[in-house]
Amino acid sequence: MSTFPLISVIVPVYNVEKYLLACLNSILCQTYPNLEVIVVIDGATDGSLAVAKSINDSRLRIIEQENQGLSGARNTGLAHIKGSYFCFIDSDDLIAPNYLECLYTALSQAGAPLAICNLRSFNDAENPEHLLEKSPASPLLYSQKTAIDALYNKNTLVPFTVACSKLYETSTYRELTFPVGKIHEDVAVALDVLLQAPALVYLPQELYYYRYNPRSITNTPSAKHLEAVDFYLAHYQCLLPLSAAQANQALVAAAKTALNHLAHTTPSWKRADREAKALAKRLKSLITPIKFSPLPKQDKILLKLASFAPLSTARLYALALKLRK
């Protein structure tokens, strides 16, 4: 019998036939010795199911369901876990060989219910083998307060927001549920995840590798992206009675998300339509209650400009983003 507790790895799958085998191999080749892999085939219409079935490994379990989206597939996986710990891996991504070992070691040594690592992106033109981090990770202990601050810090918001790149203690996160039909489901649950952890460990090493896809839903302009504004507003309402300073950070995140959407949907050559004007009005209302004094200088200037001229600021912001690429 293994002295290492079982870790359940949940892999939601929808039409990733091209990448699935590499993803599953990176999980099954982990240095951590006791794991199960729950592959949720979420109504895939390509050869993803055949790829999963081609792998002869007793640690692999395959669940088929009608398409419910990423949240629905994750929720299905959560309903079937057997492990003392669990994590999520997106089916076109990769993890370092010592990913689970590093996260579990850091978590268990700190006695924390949650471990987080950094991420690195790659694309189809790159050979991912050279990306894989194999060096030992040096964990940092975060209090709940510093973890929530990190959620709204531009240098750490990605690892602290995304559901992947984390190892969760099952007894603490048994009730974790993702909102079905939303495209920013990670933002929806991120604050609640941190509020359930009195402390956590963060590994700054890049142990999780996510594939950049310019045609993905999250990289395509859509009104659905405004769901993230609503989720950050929910953060604000939750934090308001706990910490006015952190509630302010959540409100800034909501405003910057709205500005970012406005920048991507209102190019300089196009007259603002009714939806853009409505969003500009909403952006101004988001900025009004923000306390500017604790903000970085760049955020102060950006949001103050947006409060006076949201559409013009959005166009300038879009140009700045384009030049930065």
Side-chain angles (χ1 to χ4, degrees):
M1 184 176 178
S2 175
T3 58
F4 293 89
L6 179 67
I7 294 178
S8 299
V9 182
I10 299 169
V11 184
V13 175
Y14 179 75
N15 291 358
V16 287
E17 176 184 6
K18 181 179 177 181
Y19 307 119
L20 183 56
L21 185 60
C23 172
L24 294 178
N25 281 339
S26 78
I27 299 169
L28 294 169
C29 292
Q30 287 291 294
T31 57
Y32 188 84
N34 192 21
L35 59 92
E36 65 167 356
V37 184
I38 303 171
V39 177
V40 182
I41 305 294
D42 186 44
T45 57
D46 65 352
S48 295
L49 177 60
V51 171
K53 286 185 173 180
S54 72
I55 299 174
N56 184 20
D57 193 308
S58 61
R59 297 173 296 173
L60 194 71
R61 282 196 284 149
I62 300 173
I63 299 170
E64 297 179 63
Q65 66 178 30
E66 293 184 3
N67 181 253
Q68 298 179 31
L70 180 58
S71 287
R74 285 177 175 170
N75 292 340
T76 296
L78 284 169
H80 289 83
I81 61 174
K82 298 178 180 178
S84 300
Y85 301 90
F86 65 88
C87 66
F88 304 100
I89 309 293
D90 285 349
S91 50
D92 54 352
D93 294 342
L94 301 169
I95 52 176
N98 56 349
Y99 171 80
L100 290 177
E101 180 184 356
C102 288
L103 287 174
Y104 171 71
T105 300
L107 178 151
S108 59
Q109 289 179 350
L114 183 68
I116 304 173
C117 74
N118 207 353
L119 307 88
R120 183 188 298 183
S121 67
F122 70 99
N123 58 45
D124 286 354
E126 295 179 273
N127 175 8
E129 292 300 320
H130 77 279
L131 298 175
L132 298 183
E133 176 82 48
K134 298 180 177 65
S135 60
S138 302
L140 304 171
L141 186 63
Y142 278 61
S143 67
Q144 185 178 93
K145 180 183 182 304
T146 55
I148 294 173
D149 287 338
L151 179 63
Y152 305 113
N153 184 304
K154 66 179 182 179
N155 296 317
T156 48
L157 68 88
V158 173
F160 278 75
T161 299
V162 298
C164 300
S165 83
K166 293 181 174 70
L167 182 64
Y168 307 77
E169 181 183 58
T170 302
S171 60
T172 300
Y173 293 103
R174 175 62 73 180
E175 302 303 318
L176 179 62
T177 304
F178 293 87
V180 176
K182 307 295 183 181
I183 65 170
H184 287 282
E185 59 283 310
D186 290 353
V187 178
V189 305
L191 177 60
D192 188 51
V193 165
L194 299 183
L195 287 173
Q196 292 184 65
L200 60 83
V201 282
Y202 173 59
L203 286 70
Q205 282 77 4
E206 296 163 334
L207 300 171
Y208 188 101
Y209 305 93
Y210 66 95
R211 191 181 304 273
Y212 175 73
N213 179 2
R215 296 179 298 278
S216 70
I217 294 175
T218 54
N219 289 314
T220 304
S222 163
K224 292 281 285 180
H225 290 295
L226 293 176
E227 293 169 356
V229 177
D230 297 330
F231 291 143
Y232 279 125
L233 282 176
H235 289 200
Y236 170 72
Q237 294 296 337
C238 180
L239 288 168
L240 203 53
L242 303 176
S243 168
Q246 291 181 327
N248 195 60
Q249 293 179 64
L251 197 55
V252 169
K256 290 176 71 175
T257 300
L259 177 60
N260 188 66
H261 179 75
L262 195 59
H264 283 89
T265 55
T266 313
S268 58
W269 49 264
K270 180 180 177 183
R271 287 190 64 183
D273 57 19
R274 184 180 300 176
E275 289 184 6
K277 290 178 180 178
L279 180 54
K281 184 177 180 180
R282 186 183 185 193
L283 174 58
K284 292 179 73 170
S285 71
L286 289 169
I287 295 172
T288 299
I290 289 176
K291 308 298 181 186
F292 283 90
S293 56
L295 301 187
K297 184 177 180 180
Q298 185 176 345
D299 285 351
K300 284 181 184 178
I301 295 171
L302 182 66
L303 293 177
K304 283 186 176 181
L305 284 173
S307 69
F308 291 108
L311 289 168
S312 297
T313 304
R315 289 177 173 127
L316 289 172
Y317 186 54
L319 180 61
L321 292 174
K322 186 176 181 180
L323 293 173
R324 189 185 301 174
K325 289 183 179 180

